[in-house]
Amino acid sequence: MQRAFQKSRIPESRAFVVKELVAPHFDKNWHFHPEYQLFLVLEGRGTRFVGDHMKTFREYDLVFTGPNLPHLWRNDQSYFEKGSEKQTHGIVVYFPEDFIGGSLLEKEEFEGLRHLLGKAGRGLEISGETNVQLRQMMKELVHLKGLDSIIALFEMLRL
């Protein structure tokens, strides 16, 4: 029998993935993956677990997590009750550690981004005006393709 292995959420043909999620509840499993993740809640409530931190979440919760950081957005119990008409809506962006390339990331121009990616290793809650701006950018990113999507992701990381 072969050992289980972890598959990437990003196909080899893609630099990164953005998904719009609409479901009765978010993934209820405590999990981790090798990609960075930027997750925006547009609809839904519950408790967010990121690493060793837990906090309630609601609409417009926005969190940036680093590779292999365990996390879970656990909806309130009412989302799981039989006959519940509640739903969740979110946007998630996944990109790999080598998205930019190690040698390029070491350049002076990327110092701020290196710092941000390092902080994501413990999870970053994004609030205030930055949250408001990123919300709109993530909604637009869902519809972008090609180089426009890459440029938009870099702009989001710059912000």
Side-chain angles (χ1 to χ4, degrees):
M1 184 166 163
Q2 293 183 352
R3 287 186 339 161
F5 66 95
Q6 190 168 15
K7 290 174 65 173
S8 174
R9 295 175 183 266
I10 305 169
E12 286 193 31
S13 63
R14 303 282 307 274
F16 75 100
V17 169
V18 58
K19 292 181 181 180
E20 190 162 11
L21 310 170
V22 178
H25 53 78
F26 293 128
D27 183 351
K28 60 184 178 181
N29 298 304
W30 175 247
H31 66 280
F32 65 95
H33 41 77
E35 299 87 8
Y36 286 94
Q37 173 181 296
L38 185 60
F39 183 57
L40 170 64
V41 175
L42 293 170
E43 185 178 353
R45 294 179 181 223
T47 303
R48 168 181 18 107
F49 302 85
V50 176
D52 61 359
H53 185 262
M54 63 185 271
K55 182 177 181 178
T56 59
F57 75 85
R58 59 182 302 156
E59 292 78 12
Y60 306 133
D61 187 64
L62 180 57
V63 176
F64 184 40
T65 58
N68 302 313
L69 179 63
H71 55 273
L72 163 67
W73 275 255
R74 172 74 176 167
N75 289 104
D76 292 333
Q77 189 57 38
S78 60
Y79 286 79
F80 299 95
E81 291 174 0
K82 187 174 182 172
S84 173
E85 294 188 17
K86 291 186 174 190
Q87 75 168 13
T88 60
H89 184 193
I91 299 173
V92 63
V93 178
Y94 300 106
F95 63 93
E97 279 191 272
D98 64 355
F99 176 68
I100 296 166
S103 62
L104 188 58
L105 192 57
E106 293 303 315
K107 304 297 183 196
E108 182 179 315
E109 292 86 351
F110 287 92
E111 181 180 356
L113 182 56
R114 253 191 337 270
H115 183 70
L116 173 68
L117 295 177
K119 289 175 101 176
R122 298 216 9 106
L124 292 171
E125 180 178 17
I126 301 164
S127 60
E129 184 59 30
T130 303
N131 177 297
V132 172
Q133 291 177 39
L134 283 175
R135 250 188 259 165
Q136 187 57 40
M137 294 170 83
M138 288 181 73
K139 289 176 186 177
E140 293 168 7
L141 182 63
V142 169
H143 304 288
L144 295 176
K145 303 281 185 227
L147 191 54
D148 290 335
S149 68
I150 300 276
I151 291 168
L153 179 56
F154 272 119
E155 180 61 25
M156 291 167 52
L157 292 171
R158 184 202 61 77
L159 182 62

